[in-house]
Amino acid sequence: MNIKVKKLHPNAKMPFYGTEFSAGADLCACLDEPVTLQPNETRMISIGIAVELPVGYAGLIFARSGLASRRDLAPANKVGVVDCDYRGEWFVPMHNHGLEPQTIEPGERIAQLVITPYLTAKFVENENLSETVRGSGGFGSTGVK
């Protein structure tokens, strides 16, 4: 699948896969200088690109596991969803979940993009829903073991 990417800044990097079988393509910070996030701070970090996703596909932006587990940095919205009709600049709202300031360097890999097909539904109001064993049991209703 070919995905059209427009670089909006000269120092923007194209998304890229770290290995042959990576599900997520790395997204890099497009910064002129390092940005330091204080504990519990969120900042919008530019990726410096605009992307044309095919109709019927969405871009899901996830944390990079090493950045999250080693430096407490992850997207503030947990998972970003980019719709196929969006053509603007991509940003990642990075959040410092830790107790120490963390610096994001220009060109640093800060998130990963998974491109996936999606379905849309027609929502139909109805007074009756089918019965199931679980029924209306909510959080934790199926047990822990």
Side-chain angles (χ1 to χ4, degrees):
M1 172 184 298
N2 291 324
I3 303 291
K4 293 180 182 178
V5 177
K6 180 179 181 179
K7 285 187 173 184
L8 302 175
H9 302 281
N11 57 342
K13 291 187 176 183
M14 294 288 286
F16 64 93
Y17 294 98
T19 69
E20 180 184 1
F21 298 108
S22 295
D26 290 332
L27 298 174
C28 298
C30 182
L31 301 168
D32 293 325
E33 58 190 33
V35 170
T36 299
L37 278 74
Q38 297 302 316
N40 206 35
E41 181 181 11
T42 300
R43 300 264 304 262
M44 295 297 279
I45 306 296
S46 172
I47 303 302
I49 60 174
V51 178
E52 184 177 323
L53 295 170
V55 172
Y57 288 82
L60 303 180
I61 299 176
F62 293 97
R64 295 192 68 246
S65 57
L67 205 60
S69 64
R70 293 187 189 106
R71 294 182 42 210
D72 295 316
L73 291 173
N77 55 344
K78 309 302 180 215
V79 178
V81 178
V82 182
D83 297 314
C84 64
D85 59 347
Y86 178 65
R87 294 294 185 273
E89 183 171 0
W90 284 24
F91 292 86
V92 177
M94 292 299 290
H95 183 78
N96 181 354
H97 294 275
L99 301 175
E100 301 292 329
Q102 294 292 332
T103 300
I104 298 172
E105 299 290 337
E108 184 174 354
R109 297 177 294 160
I110 61 167
Q112 58 182 320
L113 167 68
V114 175
I115 298 171
T116 187
Y118 65 87
L119 301 173
T120 56
K122 181 178 178 183
F123 298 96
V124 180
E125 186 175 352
N126 196 306
E127 291 296 321
N128 299 304
L129 302 177
S130 63
E131 296 290 328
T132 67
V133 172
R134 181 176 184 172
S136 60
F139 296 110
S141 65
T142 61
V144 293
K145 291 187 178 184

